[in-house]
Amino acid sequence: MTTVFSFRCTFRLPKIALAQHSRTFISHSTCRAFSAMAIRPAPEFVAKETAANIHQPRDPNTLSNYNAFRTKHTEADFEIDFNAKRLKGTVHLTLEKLVKDASKVILDSSYLEVFGVKAGARELKYDLSTSRVEPYGSPLSIGVPETDSSELKLSIDVATTKDCTALQWLTPAQTSNKKHPYMFSQCQAIHARSLFPCQDTPDVKSTYTFNLRSPLPVLASGLPTGPRDFKPGQNGEPGTLLYTFHQAIPMPSYLFAIASGDLASASIGPRSTVWTGPEELNASQWEFEKDTEPYIQAAEKIVYPYAWTTYNVLVLPPSFPYGGMENPVYTFATPTVVSGDRQNVDVIAHELSHSWSGNLVSNASWEHFWLNEGWTTYLERRIQAAIHGSDKHRDFSAIIGWKALSDSIKQYGEDHEFTKLIPDLKGQDPDDAFSSIPYEKGFTFLYHLEKLIGKVKWDKFIPHYFTAFKEKSVDSYEFKATLLSFFAGDAEVSKKLENLDWDTWFYKPGFPPKPDFDTELADQCYELAKKWEALNESKADNWEPSPANINMFTSNQSVVFLETLQSSQTTLKPDLIDLMGKTYGFAQSKNVELVSRYYVLGLQARDEKVYAPAAELLGRIGRMKFVRPVFRELMKCDMGLAQKVYDANKETWHPICRDMVRKMLEKGPKE
């Protein structure tokens, strides 16, 4: 049982016993202080400066001094200004003072305007750095008055700017009914700091109050409260309503979420509602109403009762960059899950699972992101097994996940830091490390532990873990310590865990050991792929493709069929790509999971007939799961067309997606 201390100046201390472990990040100035102390004792002022600037042990991706002050409650009073495309108002922070002599609060901020800071009626001096610390923004330093109180209340007048990375503003022309503008936020991983000054780290959890004024309906990651005060408009402008929400369960800043637009709602269960544009409401309601409540009940049996009162889904416009975002109370979801066949609602199972892993129990930093996503992927697949009544369904999902893991490792390279379960993100943008790796490598580790310990015993640990860290943040070492402690009285399991190579699982880059998945549901897909490979080589023994080949396939089986051919040593000829599209209807499908993979296969085959449709698809969607692989293959086929696609869509893609594609173009095609 060993682990490692890691310092921001990049040297490491010897491995020590787990019970003594903490992972600490110390500033470069502190490292210099250590060097001085090796020669002579440091003056007292050096020791005090070192203590004041030392980072909290776990998160290297924040500039805040959250070891000295910690946010307990956040109240956001904002007006949503669609004309100026900004939020403007006041954020009120209630902070707990942790260091008696601390005289300065340092908050994260990025591309913000700050107009003033108060403590009660008292104006406070502040400094918003004019130079950015990339990729973390500009720290806001606030001098605070001396007080014996352990609580500090700050009010900060603030406005977002055109460079805000957390918000996307859509014109009426970019919405489905072309009538009203739309705005939504996406704060994960470190984008909340571009909305308001905060301690933008998942290691800090706060309760929240939202007071949001807008001319259009508003949703936020809390429960609605109070009457909606109306304010008449001026100079021909529409009037506004004040929408209020409260989140009583502490949550990290990346779960701060707001949206405003032409929204309608419908019930999808006894404690669930779907929200979306009026034109999409019926389709969205049909897509989710069958499965949402059974998913919640299945998850509650695996962990414990749902804590957030109501579970709702907001289906966003196509530019939303993720499949879903697990904002409490309101999951933000991509419209690509509304495929008209209920084949993609596993996204909801995933985001629902975040209600326990990620939202109630949060990773302490983005280096431990697998604790959010690995656990959530594991719970999602347990839900699938419970709904379908067989573990072969979760193993089938895991086979799809292994392909996603393989693709991510291939793109980074097997020795890349970001392919580790616990990567070193000091000085890095967590968005650059976003991939399938924490999801699938994390799932594989938990799947391995389940098999190692035995499912009956493992299932008793699950609610214990989520109880032990409920409303808290946790790192991998605390997870390990909790697991060892839970099974300390079981000699058989304890011995297995002692013999587990934790360092290899945590720190080795590349692939984990591949589990022996049940392939029953995948074997049919593999067999069909072999027939197409044989047809490509003129060895098909008179076999001819027919729509009947996939009549009994689920959508995910068609996905595995296409992904098997993507990974094949045999590249299909362009005429076979065309034949496949016509025979199976992939190109005409409303299911983007199928269409995107079909286009990737066609681009791999250099089938020029799919170039334009693939480019058109990139203009209709913003979900990075699809944009990334299609754009990557398009670059290999036609860099000129890829550049045109970027130029045409960079203003409509979400900033996170746009930045990702820009970086792909800068690196160029990679075979």
Side-chain angles (χ1 to χ4, degrees), residues 113 198 244 247 402 410 493 615:
E113 289 186 67
C198 60
T244 61
Q247 183 51 262
W402 189 267
K410 178 181 178 182
V493 174

Side-chain angles (χ1 to χ4, degrees), residues 58-330:
R58 301 193 286 191
D59 190 351
N61 302 135
T62 177
L63 301 175
S64 68
N65 62 340
Y66 75 98
N67 60 313
F69 295 89
R70 181 177 289 261
T71 307
K72 307 303 290 184
H73 183 69
T74 303
E75 183 169 359
D77 299 342
F78 284 131
E79 182 163 354
I80 299 172
D81 187 337
F82 284 99
N83 291 329
K85 295 183 177 179
R86 70 173 183 176
L87 302 182
K88 185 177 182 181
T90 304
V91 62
H92 309 275
L93 302 178
T94 301
L95 302 109
E96 179 185 8
K97 190 174 184 180
L98 303 177
V99 177
K100 183 179 180 180
D101 297 330
S103 59
K104 185 186 296 184
V105 173
I106 303 174
L107 300 173
D108 290 303
S109 78
S110 180
Y111 301 118
L112 287 173
E113 289 186 67
V114 176
F115 305 107
V117 182
K118 292 182 179 179
R122 180 175 178 178
E123 296 278 355
L124 299 182
K125 292 183 178 180
Y126 66 92
D127 176 44
L128 180 60
S129 176
T130 56
S131 59
R132 287 178 59 83
V133 180
E134 294 295 350
Y136 305 128
S138 306
L140 174 65
S141 299
I142 303 168
V144 297
E146 292 185 11
T147 175
D148 293 330
S149 174
S150 62
E151 185 176 274
L152 173 67
K153 292 187 176 182
L154 299 177
S155 295
I156 307 170
D157 296 328
V158 66
T160 62
T161 67
K162 64 180 180 61
D163 296 312
C164 175
T165 56
L167 296 177
Q168 183 163 28
W169 300 88
L170 302 178
T171 65
Q174 294 172 306
T175 63
S176 60
N177 63 16
K178 317 297 182 186
K179 294 180 181 179
H180 301 283
Y182 201 109
M183 180 278 299
F184 66 89
S185 67
Q186 171 57 38
C187 289
Q188 193 182 48
I190 56 171
H191 300 284
R193 63 192 68 180
S194 71
L195 287 181
F196 59 92
C198 60
Q199 295 176 326
D200 197 8
T201 166
D203 210 12
V204 171
K205 289 190 165 186
S206 163
T207 54
Y208 281 82
T209 299
F210 303 80
N211 302 307
L212 306 168
R213 184 169 288 281
S214 175
L216 294 169
V218 174
L219 297 178
S221 47
L223 295 172
T225 60
R228 295 176 178 175
D229 174 61
F230 178 72
K231 180 179 179 181
Q234 297 179 348
N235 301 320
E237 293 292 322
T240 60
L241 283 175
L242 179 64
Y243 295 83
T244 61
F245 304 83
H246 184 67
Q247 183 51 262
I249 299 175
M251 66 181 191
S253 55
Y254 76 87
L255 293 177
F256 181 99
I258 56 176
S260 183
D262 187 8
L263 299 175
S265 64
S267 173
I268 53 173
R271 45 181 160 173
S272 301
T273 301
V274 65
W275 293 75
T276 189
E279 286 75 15
E280 296 81 29
L281 184 60
N282 289 339
S284 297
Q285 182 183 29
W286 183 87
E287 201 79 24
F288 301 128
E289 64 184 357
K290 176 177 178 289
D291 298 295
T292 301
E293 181 62 23
Y295 282 171
I296 298 174
Q297 293 181 15
E300 288 178 323
K301 291 177 182 177
I302 298 167
V303 192
Y304 49 64
Y306 181 76
W308 305 86
T309 304
T310 177
Y311 176 78
N312 308 304
V313 180
L314 170 63
V315 180
L316 288 166
S319 60
F320 185 58
Y322 299 108
M325 181 62 208
E326 62 272 18
N327 301 312
V329 183
Y330 294 96

